Amino acid sequence: MEANGRKKASFKRMKTHSQVIENFIWQGVGGKGTYVKASDDLLYSQVPDTYRPYGHRPWNNSAGGTEAPLAVRLEDGGILANGARLANPMDNHQWNVLKALEKSHSRFGVIPFHSIVAAWTDGVDDDWDETPIPIRDLKREVAVVVSSQGENWREVVEKDEDGHDVTRQVHTLGDSVVRVKDRFYLSAVDETGVGNGMYFLAELLTSRAPQSLDEALNFLKPQVVRKAEEKGLDVRRQGEWFAIPMPLSKSVELTHDVERGIAEHSLRHVLGRDGHHELEEAIIYRAGEHKGEIYARGLLTHTKEEHRDLDLGTMRWYLIIHNVAGAAYTLTGKGTAQFD
């Protein structure tokens, strides 16, 4: 990484890692601490093989003998912070970066750099450690379009098995939008994911930069979904699939079309060619003006258990619609956002 400009920075000795981080974020200058170092462009953590916390040999998830980028200053003035799950003590350095960014009021995004690699290579690679992007290229080709607002908890209202509204909290660093080369991506936490939600980076199919997070989220919704929401319908969602409630009378029409042979009744139908979202009961149109439409009721589950079950009930049929995103990268495991 010497080629990325570290040698050109005139390092100042700092007393603490926090000083190195704050000087990089607030003043745009390099610095050098024991494990945290910075040039004018790059803030990174470097832990030697000899790392011994409190004089003891580190545990298995220690970062001893490794280094990783913490943040990059982009040409547009924004800061891209690495949200990938890093080992100790790098995770503490990440936390200090986040807090400094929140205090600085800088325009920033906190995104796993593994996800940036996936977007950069169109999914061919998804590991920063194996395929790092030169910092000079990252600075030029990535920009923060809609800034993160920092750490927060988002309330999500869901239906329980008895149909009652229940509220749970989803932890996120604040969703954001970034540009990678000539494409825009929404970086966010999907509240339908298990646990505290699932991180994803989704390409927005637009040539126009969204002006807000709400606008970016609307870009993911097909027109039929937006119209249903405008009518006040309770549109449900699991991952990239929306479920639009139909009138109760729709059941008669669907049954008739199955009898006519233009639609097919199916149990345990998996959505998409290589999908993992499974419908307990579905009716799929194979011919006619509605060819390709899918209706469902019962449970919508995920075969890899990455999303919470969505109970559509058994009385009403729902029209199942895919979102309009381009490539999307969830990158569980090494790509999981550290703070989500």
Side-chain angles (χ1 to χ4, degrees), residues 35-244:
Y35 303 136
V36 177
K37 311 175 193 304
S39 69
D40 295 344
D41 303 328
L42 174 65
L43 178 69
Y44 63 101
S45 183
Q46 186 179 59
V47 184
D49 288 324
T50 55
Y51 175 63
R52 296 290 186 273
Y54 307 107
H56 300 288
R57 182 176 294 278
W59 43 92
N60 292 335
N61 66 342
S62 164
T66 63
E67 65 177 69
L70 298 175
V72 173
R73 188 180 313 282
L74 305 172
E75 284 192 354
D76 71 342
I79 294 178
L80 183 69
N82 188 3
R85 189 171 298 279
L86 300 181
N88 182 273
M90 292 179 177
D91 54 350
N92 293 322
H93 306 157
Q94 285 181 298
W95 188 254
N96 289 335
V97 169
L98 170 63
K99 293 307 175 185
L101 284 169
E102 289 180 339
K103 293 178 181 178
S104 71
H105 304 294
S106 300
R107 191 155 42 88
F108 70 95
V110 184
I111 301 173
F113 278 20
H114 299 300
S115 301
I116 298 295
V117 170
W120 189 280
T121 64
D122 292 329
V124 175
D125 298 302
D126 63 0
D127 194 319
W128 174 273
D129 299 327
E130 295 181 3
T131 317
I133 302 169
I135 299 304
R136 63 181 179 275
D137 295 337
L138 194 69
K139 283 170 51 67
R140 183 178 64 252
E141 299 289 353
V142 177
V144 177
V145 177
V146 177
S147 179
S148 168
Q149 298 303 308
E151 184 186 25
N152 63 69
W153 290 87
R154 185 170 72 241
E155 285 192 351
V156 177
V157 179
E158 300 173 330
K159 299 286 186 182
D160 63 15
E161 59 185 13
D162 297 320
H164 300 138
D165 287 344
V166 292
T167 301
R168 67 183 180 94
Q169 303 286 327
V170 175
H171 185 213
T172 174
L173 281 182
D175 304 333
S176 59
V177 177
V178 295
R179 175 182 58 78
V180 180
K181 297 183 180 178
D182 60 349
R183 301 176 186 176
F184 299 103
Y185 293 84
L186 170 64
S187 173
V189 174
D190 181 358
E191 64 269 16
T192 73
V194 296
N196 287 333
M198 175 184 292
Y199 172 79
F200 70 92
L201 185 74
E203 180 187 352
L204 303 175
L205 297 183
T206 177
S207 59
R208 178 176 60 83
Q211 299 301 304
S212 66
L213 181 64
D214 285 342
E215 185 176 17
L217 290 169
N218 278 330
F219 282 159
L220 296 177
K221 298 176 181 179
Q223 186 176 15
V224 63
V225 170
R226 295 198 298 269
K227 287 185 175 180
E229 290 180 335
E230 290 171 0
K231 294 178 180 178
L233 297 181
D234 182 21
V235 179
R236 315 286 296 281
R237 184 177 64 82
Q238 184 189 82
E240 68 270 32
W241 294 95
F242 293 94
I244 303 174

